[in-house]
Amino acid sequence: MTPPAAKDDCLFCRIVKGEVPADVVHAGETTIAFRDINPQAPTHVLVIPSSHYANIAELAQWEPGAVTELFATAAEVAESEGLGDQYRLVFNTGAEAGQAVFHTHMHVLGGRPLNWPPG
Ligand code: AMP
Ligand code: ZN
């Protein structure tokens, strides 16, 4: 499938295009990773596909290979951030689950003890 066009009104598409600045920690062919502007842990990085899909379910349906890339990038970020094997990966899906930006993104959180259950 041809990747969907970037959406002009999507903040993360604009970060992919370089129109909005971000603290990028990894830039690959199909994924980029950048620091969350409002970090909830000492390490809080967002890993996103460069293609625009609203959430992880849409990405899995249309570009399953990109899902693998997201997780591979998360592992690289965990390594480069020195998180070892102590970190959390989160996809908020839907407003009631806390999703505010409707371009697929994975939160990589670590660097402090993380409680469960989440809020
Ligand atoms: P979510 O609530 O799962 O949709 O996550 C969206 C995340 O994007 C939040 O943690 C925000 O702090 C983060 N965010 C919003 N704007 C920016 C930005 N310009 N650069 C980096 N992170 C951002
Ligand atoms: Zn987008």
Side-chain angles (χ1 to χ4, degrees), residues 18-106:
E19 293 175 1
V20 170
D23 188 353
V24 174
V25 298
H26 170 99
E29 266 187 34
T30 57
T31 64
I32 75 165
F34 50 93
R35 295 193 192 283
D36 196 293
I37 205 167
N38 182 24
Q40 302 301 313
T43 290
H44 188 173
V45 169
L46 302 175
V47 184
I48 73 170
S50 34
S51 308
H52 179 90
Y53 293 95
N55 56 46
I56 185 63
E58 285 193 10
L59 183 69
Q61 181 175 1
W62 296 107
E63 286 191 37
V67 176
T68 305
E69 291 296 322
L70 283 191
F71 282 99
T73 301
E76 287 179 26
V77 168
E79 170 78 24
S80 61
E81 294 288 313
L83 301 180
D85 57 0
Q86 307 292 315
Y87 57 91
R88 184 177 294 175
L89 305 178
V90 174
F91 293 91
N92 295 325
T93 302
E96 283 188 22
Q99 187 175 7
V101 177
F102 289 82
H103 177 128
T104 312
H105 54 280
M106 173 165 42

